[in-house]
């Protein structure tokens, strides 16, 4: 189809990769001293999975992207744009998306990375849908959210060890009938809490050197209470604002996909919007917080399980370090 028959830009294929190496709450208790029962009570997380030594961010991204391409029935040569949403690419630079483009064979695609942390995949969907609207020659796009966090976690630090796992998720975007696909996107940032979640080592302000290698700059630093406050203050606002753009409210939404940071936060958000938990999907108990991959994996699993269906109004919403809040509303095709 072409012309006015295909004016929307929507997700037409999804894929994921979750590593096989489990880290249980019993292990976290042994390393940090936090009782396993307390971890569940605070976060809802039971297990998280991390990559093996030889696995790479680009490699696990390619697995997810190939699954999404297969589901969409799209060949790699048809892809016009490849976007990787990650802070944990193979190198500081160049962009991981460039490596991914080669691994999946998308030789006709431009490629670049987006760093919006845990809301990166949601931001990426908006960027690619915008690019495809602006450039009719781009028929298909690939958006991947990827996180290899295990290599930046100090496993004796309870603030980070209890939460995080690794993984990758992907979506293929294509042209769908008018009225379907991405309807609106909202992104806003509260820079006042920029330093509340950070990884300083390797940045230009904190280059790793022999003289500072033992200062712990290469590990996550997290203010968990500040994260909680930011989410409960601002994420409902992001959702409300994106829905207002299309004249809808939370009650009109058929399904919500949230960043899987903490089960208790998701329960809070649904309660705040007066929506039942049956209208969302969670996997945080099973795989932990997979950061940039979280929204993508949750969306993939919800689609695979038939929870997201044709004509559903779907909100995809996350919050990322910085702090960046986002929400995208999609009419599912």
């Amino acid at each position: 189809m072409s012309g006015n028959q295909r004016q929307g830009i929507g997700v037409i294929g999804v894929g994921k990769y979750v590593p096989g190496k489990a880290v249980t709450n019993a292990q976290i208790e042994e390393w940090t001293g936090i009782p396993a029962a307390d971890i569940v009570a605070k976060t809802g997380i039971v297990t998280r999975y991390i990559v093996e030594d030889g696995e790479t961010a680009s490699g696990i991204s390619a697995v997810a992207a190939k699954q999404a391409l297969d589901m969409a029935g799209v060949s790699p040569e048809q892809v016009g744009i490849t976007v990787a949403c990650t802070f944990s690419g193979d190198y500081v630079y160049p962009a991981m998306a460039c490596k991914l483009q080669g691994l999946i064979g998308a030789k006709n695609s431009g490629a670049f990375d987006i760093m919006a942390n845990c809301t990166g995949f949601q931001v990426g969907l908006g960027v690619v849908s915008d690019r495809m609207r602006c450039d009719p020659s781009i028929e298909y796009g690939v958006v991947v959210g990827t996180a290899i966090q295990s290599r930046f976690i100090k496993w004796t630090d309870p603030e980070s060890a209890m939460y995080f796992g690794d993984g990758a998720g992907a979506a293929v975007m294509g042209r769908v009938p008018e009225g379907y696909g991405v309807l609106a996107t909202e992104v806003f940032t509260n820079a006042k809490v920029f330093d509340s979640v950070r990884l300083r080592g390797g940045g230009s302000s904190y280059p790793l050197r022999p003289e500072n290698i033992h200062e712990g700059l290469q590990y996550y630093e997290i203010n968990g209470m500040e994260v909680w406050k930011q989410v409960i203050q601002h994420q409902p606002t992001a959702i409300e604002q994106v829905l207002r753009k299309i004249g809808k409210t939370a009650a009109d939404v058929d399904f919500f996909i949230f960043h899987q940071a903490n089960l208790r936060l998701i329960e809070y958000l649904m309660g705040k919007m007066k929506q039942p938990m049956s209208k969302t999907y969670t996997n945080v108990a099973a795989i932990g917080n997979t950061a940039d991959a979280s929204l993508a994996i949750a969306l993939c699993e919800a689609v695979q399980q038939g929870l997201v269906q044709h004509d559903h109004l779907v909100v995809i919403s996350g919050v990322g370090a910085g702090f960046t809040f986002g929400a995208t509303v999609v009419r599912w095709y």
Side-chain angles (χ1 to χ4, degrees), residues 27-38:
Q27 289 171 289
I28 301 297
E29 179 176 353
E30 181 181 344
W31 296 334
T32 67
I34 297 182
D38 289 356

Side-chain angles (χ1 to χ4, degrees), residues 27-92:
Q27 289 171 289
I28 301 297
E29 179 176 353
E30 181 181 344
W31 296 334
T32 67
I34 297 182
D38 289 356
I39 296 173
V40 175
K42 182 176 181 178
T43 69
I45 297 169
V46 177
T47 314
R48 68 288 293 145
Y49 292 85
I50 65 174
V51 294
E52 300 287 354
D53 288 346
E55 292 185 288
T56 64
S58 59
I60 68 173
S61 300
V63 174
K66 288 175 181 177
Q67 286 182 13
L69 288 166
D70 287 345
M71 179 178 175
V74 172
S75 70
E77 294 81 4
Q78 292 176 287
V79 175
I81 183 170
T82 301
V83 171
C85 308
T86 189
F87 78 91
S88 55
D90 298 8
Y91 307 151
V92 173

Side-chain angles (χ1 to χ4, degrees), residues 237-258:
T237 303
I239 295 169
E240 180 183 353
Q241 289 179 349
V242 78
L243 288 169
R244 188 182 299 134
K245 291 179 179 181
I246 61 167
K248 301 290 185 182
T249 68
D252 299 312
V253 177
D254 296 296
F255 211 76
F256 295 87
I257 300 290
F258 291 112

Side-chain angles (χ1 to χ4, degrees), residues 87-88 118 147-153 164-166 220 289-291:
F87 78 91
S88 55
C118 297
I148 292 186
Q149 304 181 94
S150 55
R151 293 169 184 164
F152 305 100
I153 293 171
F164 298 110
D166 301 333
Y220 275 18
N289 176 346
T290 56

